[in-house]
Amino acid sequence: MMTELRTIFYVDDDPDDLDFFQEAVDATGQHVTLFQLGDQMIHALKNPPPDPSLIFVDLNMPGKTGLDIIAEIKSSNALCNLPIIILSTASDSKTIDDCKAAGANFYIKKANSVAELRKSIEYVLSFDWINSFPPSSLYVYNPQK
């Protein structure tokens, strides 16, 4: 288990999903900042602190969608190297391919429990995001591994 303290940003329009994410991240000992709107998170990214080491993004949100957020982050010289992890209920190959093409670094289908969500977050935290991103073969989280 990694011990380095990281700041995680997560944007999701669903208050219940934000609560589950907060609970799951708290169990890992990391710090999380939550946002209900994409614009709020983009504003925080452009006006730190805090500076996130990882960004989790829900796809289906009103206003700025997850794909919009990815595009905005990846088009910014200051932000383009931030790892973006998609956390979505969608699991179809077109959506996953669209996220990968847009520049997302990892894809997780939303879990059915806080314990499953924590396990997926711990898996993401196990990668060395500073020096390399996971290979394409590991782009989609597989809870069986």
Side-chain angles (χ1 to χ4, degrees), residues 7 9 35 41-52 78-79 82:
T7 296
F9 277 14
F35 304 92
M41 188 180 74
I42 294 295
H43 177 77
L45 286 169
K46 292 179 177 178
N47 298 281
D51 261 329
L79 304 173
L82 284 172

Side-chain angles (χ1 to χ4, degrees), residues 53-72:
S53 2
L54 296 168
I55 299 172
F56 285 77
V57 177
D58 179 38
L59 279 181
N60 300 313
M61 296 182 289
K64 202 169 279 214
T65 68
L67 288 173
D68 294 336
I69 292 167
I70 296 168
E72 192 162 342

Side-chain angles (χ1 to χ4, degrees), residues 10 57-60 86-91 95 107-111:
Y10 178 47
V57 177
D58 179 38
L59 279 181
N60 300 313
I86 300 301
L87 195 57
S88 179
T89 55
S91 60
T95 300
Y107 195 99
I108 301 172
K109 183 175 182 326
K110 285 186 178 178

Side-chain angles (χ1 to χ4, degrees), residues 5 21 24 28 41 47 55 64 66 70 74 96 101 105 113 120 122 133 142-143:
L5 182 63
F21 193 86
T28 71
M41 188 180 74
N47 298 281
I55 299 172
K64 202 169 279 214
I70 296 168
K74 292 301 177 180
I96 292 169
N105 302 101
S113 72
S120 68
E122 287 172 346
F133 292 158
N142 180 351

Side-chain angles (χ1 to χ4, degrees), residues 5-63:
L5 182 63
R6 297 185 184 182
T7 296
I8 298 169
F9 277 14
Y10 178 47
V11 59
D12 195 316
D13 63 308
D14 185 323
D16 290 335
D17 285 348
L18 289 171
D19 289 344
F20 290 141
F21 193 86
Q22 175 83 53
E23 188 177 336
V25 171
D26 286 350
T28 71
Q30 305 302 306
H31 178 264
V32 65
T33 302
L34 305 173
F35 304 92
Q36 270 195 290
L37 297 172
D39 284 332
Q40 293 170 332
M41 188 180 74
I42 294 295
H43 177 77
L45 286 169
K46 292 179 177 178
N47 298 281
D51 261 329
S53 2
L54 296 168
I55 299 172
F56 285 77
V57 177
D58 179 38
L59 279 181
N60 300 313
M61 296 182 289

